[in-house]
Amino acid sequence: AKPASRKRAVSNRGGGGGTATKDSKAVIFSSSEAVLDVLSVQCRQEFGDGALSRIVGASTHEERTEALDRFGTQAACFLLLLPVRACASGLTLTVADHCFLIELQGNGGQELQLINRVYRIGQSRPVTVKKFVAADTIEERMLELRKRSRGLLAAREQPAAAETAAEADAAAVPALSSGEEAGKGAHKSANAEAQTERFEDLRFLYGGARARG
């Protein structure tokens, strides 16, 4: 997604696929203060100063409170720009019904934490979430890797259809009877397997980036 497309989506409060109404409000998260600077300038130019509220990493408690109050109480203020590091938790923003994640975060849990600022107890409207991924960058590889990891985890957690409880118990007997040495061997094997998976993940992630570079 290019900066212009991200700005258009913010302007539309969700774009063509959203559920925006005249009462809709949007929270915009970014890991970069510089990106928020650009969005702030563009949105102020298009909508005016009153349409935008913002918190920066260096904001004081009073400034944070003022920005949140303005976003929550003034109908004309429909955009709230927040830095990920300073505002990932501890906020309830159910007055908004749109959430924009300007960059892909390092893990899915972090993204859920941000979304849960808007989609949480007290929210009475459908919530539209938009995540932006920059085309032809490492972000695409990160997204692919995340999807692949989820698939592997699901496959591991799903028990084999043919395995019964009795079969599982029988399979565990040799390992238990072999004593401490067998336990150490299994632990080493698990560590080696985990290290191999991490290496393959890194090669998948950065190998593609080097190939394109």
Side-chain angles (χ1 to χ4, degrees), residues 45-124:
Q45 288 176 347
E46 182 163 347
F47 304 113
D49 291 340
L52 176 68
S53 191
R54 181 181 176 185
I55 293 175
V56 299
S59 294
T60 64
H61 176 72
E62 290 75 15
E63 290 169 339
R64 288 169 61 99
T65 301
E66 181 183 352
L68 293 173
D69 286 346
R70 184 166 61 252
F71 181 69
T73 60
Q74 297 183 14
C77 183
F78 69 91
L79 295 174
L80 177 62
L81 274 59
L82 300 177
V84 169
R85 183 172 297 181
C87 301
S89 62
L91 294 178
T92 297
L93 302 171
T94 51
V95 67
D97 59 345
H98 285 70
C99 179
F100 295 91
L101 307 183
I102 299 299
E103 310 93 9
L104 192 67
Q105 299 302 305
N107 61 76
Q110 175 79 3
E111 292 179 356
L112 287 176
Q113 186 114 351
L114 298 173
I115 295 168
N116 285 343
R117 300 310 96 215
V118 178
Y119 186 68
R120 60 189 297 114
I121 293 175
Q123 179 59 261
S124 59

